[in-house]
Amino acid sequence: IETSDLEHIVYGPKDSLSEQLEQNPTLIRRRLPSSKLKSRIITIGSLSKTSIAILYIEGIANPDIVDIAISKTSKIDYDSFFDSSHVSVFLEDHVNSVFPQLQQTDRPDAIASALTSGKVIWIVANTPFALIGPITFFDLFQSPEDYIHRWMIGTFLRILRFFAFLTALVLTPIYVAFTMHHYNSMPLEILYVLLDSRSTVAFSPVWEAAFMLFTLEILKEASLRMPTKSGQTLGIVGGIVIGQAAVQAGFASNILIMHIAISAIASFLVPNYIMTNSSKLIQFALLFLAAWLGMWGIMFGLVCIAIHLNGLTSLKQPYLAPLTPLMWKDWK
């Protein structure tokens, strides 16, 4: 049993799930030694014969949701499964959405907390990541450490994550919108700084931002694929060197580099890794909308995202609950 590398916290349990299906339910039953914790084993995959354990607490989990979970899992018809993410594709209600409708975790304490909240758990053999459902959009911003802090600090940190996620989406598009469409509404002092920063840049703001965002994604992906120590060096040194070289060569301005750096750091505040990756595509879409329509394009994109989120479901449950439908008691 090793420490979780993906969901690291300062305080709290350090154990994580393993790739052995027989061992993982034991880690959960340590925390929930109750006879109401039920488990059902289903085998899927005509070639891989992958075993999946579906866990729920009888009397707490909604029986309709449990039936949907078991029915969806039993109807899966495919050759092989080697990871829980492969299974989630067949369980999600909206496969073509960039937003995940099931949560992945390797922490037994997070799974135990989800079970006591009435959720259903899928533990897939040969992978250390379990699936949690149904979830809402707001579940993806929760960290196990939220409940270790005092409630004021935990609430502040969770609000900070929402603000950071929004910042990562719109900060660079706002730069493009103001430099291309709304420069006449900027204060004169800021406009002088912007003109001085962009005086040597040979590209339009949208291609300047797109080029630097694309370069940032290359650096992030390269640092993930390289060995751990080399990856950290590449991320730090590569970012500094490429950023300075881009400014000196006239490919980007100092202000844009600052915007992209803040956006990149803000995106890492989201605890869910899949949600962090989803924000990349949304950021590029908002970037080109900002170049086309300015701030109106950004607002149009955000409204489309809100409409899309409102239409999503997770195991037939509303994705934006308790916001829509509005449930005041669940806002605690």
Side-chain angles (χ1 to χ4, degrees):
I1 301 176
E2 298 180 353
T3 304
S4 173
D5 293 328
L6 188 63
E7 299 177 79
H8 175 73
I9 62 174
V10 179
Y11 292 102
K14 304 298 182 182
D15 57 337
S16 64
L17 301 181
S18 68
E19 297 178 356
Q20 301 298 322
L21 179 62
E22 299 79 8
Q23 182 178 348
N24 292 333
T26 304
L27 297 176
I28 299 171
R29 290 189 182 276
R30 285 182 182 178
R31 295 170 168 83
L32 296 173
S34 172
S35 60
K36 294 184 179 180
L37 177 57
K38 305 297 181 182
S39 175
R40 177 167 177 175
I41 306 295
I42 297 176
T43 302
I44 61 174
S46 57
L47 294 177
S48 62
K49 304 295 182 183
T50 305
S51 297
I52 299 179
I54 301 178
L55 278 66
Y56 62 95
I57 296 182
E58 190 177 45
I60 296 181
N62 189 330
D64 294 335
I65 295 178
V66 174
D67 292 340
I68 293 173
I70 295 175
S71 175
K72 277 180 169 285
T73 309
S74 303
K75 291 179 181 179
I76 293 177
D77 184 15
Y78 198 68
D79 293 338
S80 56
F81 294 90
F82 304 110
D83 190 78
S84 57
S85 59
H86 300 164
V87 180
S88 67
V89 175
F90 292 85
L91 299 175
E92 291 181 341
D93 296 338
H94 309 270
V95 182
N96 296 322
S97 174
V98 297
F99 296 99
Q101 292 119 60
L102 293 174
Q103 186 176 359
Q104 287 186 315
T105 182
D106 63 346
R107 297 187 60 88
D109 58 327
I111 294 174
S113 177
L115 285 169
T116 57
S117 300
K119 300 184 185 296
V120 180
I121 309 296
W122 290 263
I123 300 179
V124 184
N126 304 319
T127 177
F129 295 99
L131 300 173
I132 301 176
I135 63 167
T136 66
F137 175 76
F138 309 103
D139 289 335
L140 301 172
F141 293 85
Q142 294 183 10
S143 170
E145 209 167 21
D146 290 348
Y147 298 96
I148 296 173
H149 296 296
R150 306 292 294 177
W151 72 266
M152 297 83 73
I153 300 174
T155 302
F156 168 76
L157 291 177
R158 190 171 296 179
I159 294 173
L160 182 64
R161 293 189 197 108
F162 287 111
F163 178 76
F165 178 73
L166 184 62
T167 300
L169 292 183
V170 303
L171 188 60
T172 305
I174 286 176
Y175 166 83
V176 173
F178 271 91
T179 51
M180 294 187 68
H181 295 276
H182 310 292
Y183 52 86
N184 53 351
S185 63
M186 299 173 63
L188 199 58
E189 294 80 3
I190 299 178
L191 185 60
Y192 284 149
V193 174
L194 181 63
L195 290 174
D196 181 64
S197 177
R198 284 194 46 79
S199 59
T200 59
V201 179
F203 300 99
S204 64
V206 59
W207 296 115
E208 171 196 10
F211 172 74
M212 293 309 300
L213 283 176
F214 189 70
T215 305
L216 175 66
E217 296 305 325
I218 291 176
L219 283 173
K220 288 164 67 175
E221 191 68 18
S223 62
L224 285 174
R225 304 301 164 215
M226 292 184 68
T228 304
K229 295 183 179 179
S230 302
Q232 293 176 352
T233 304
L234 173 69
I236 297 172
V237 177
I240 296 174
V241 171
I242 291 179
Q244 290 181 345
V247 172
Q248 294 176 357
F251 281 93
S253 63
N254 287 317
I255 297 179
L256 175 67
I257 297 295
M258 181 188 69
H259 278 71
I260 290 180
I262 295 174
S263 299
I265 295 172
S267 66
F268 290 124
L269 265 70
V270 181
N272 189 279
Y273 176 71
I274 300 177
M275 191 66 176
T276 303
N277 288 335
S278 300
S279 65
K280 300 175 183 178
L281 296 178
I282 301 174
Q283 188 179 31
F284 276 102
L286 292 177
L287 180 70
F288 289 106
L289 283 174
W292 180 32
L293 298 173
M295 289 300 296
W296 290 108
I298 296 176
M299 295 305 299
F300 174 74
L302 293 177
V303 168
C304 290
I305 293 171
I307 294 173
H308 175 68
L309 288 172
N310 190 50
L312 291 180
T313 57
S314 175
L315 296 183
K316 310 300 181 183
Q317 307 304 307
Y319 197 63
L320 280 184
L323 186 60
T324 57
L326 189 62
M327 294 177 260
W328 287 110
K329 292 183 179 180
D330 290 346
W331 277 47
K332 294 180 181 180

